[in-house]
Amino acid sequence: MPLWLLGIIVVVGLTAIWVFMRLYGFDKSLKLTHEMAGQEFTTDNPGLVAEDIVLARSGQAALIRAAGDTYVLWVMGQDVATHNLARARVTEAPEGVTLRLPDFAAPKVTIHLTDDEKRTWLPLIEAAN
């Protein structure tokens, strides 16, 4: 197959995927509600049930208490990730808080919070350590 033809096929294919994603709304990130955060947490952590959920106003993150531990849940596109905050280090950032997690797959996460939310979240995260 000539290189120019392969190039056209790749460009047309990527453009079609982009149009499909835009038309069906797959380019927008997930926005959490309390119920959705609880369901996503249970899906990521089978056997655990969310006892208390503190949701960020943006709907992009949540602090969850379950079985005596505190977890952070954050949105990554159309999916979520959860991590136990037992050994996390937290620092304030201008846009929220930065968590350094003992996980090579997600070593540092910045959660975007308002100033009011920072005052609520920081003591809860520090208490988890």
Side-chain angles (χ1 to χ4, degrees), residues 45-77:
N45 303 281
L48 292 177
V49 177
E51 298 163 5
D52 186 31
I53 299 172
V54 179
L55 190 64
R57 284 189 201 134
S58 65
Q60 298 296 299
L63 276 180
I64 297 177
R65 298 240 342 126
D69 288 328
T70 304
Y71 296 82
V72 64
L73 179 142
W74 72 91
V75 173
M76 296 185 321

Side-chain angles (χ1 to χ4, degrees), residues 76-90:
M76 296 185 321
Q78 288 286 317
D79 202 6
V80 298
T82 59
H83 282 279
N84 191 325
L85 291 175
R87 294 186 335 234
R89 291 179 296 153
V90 61

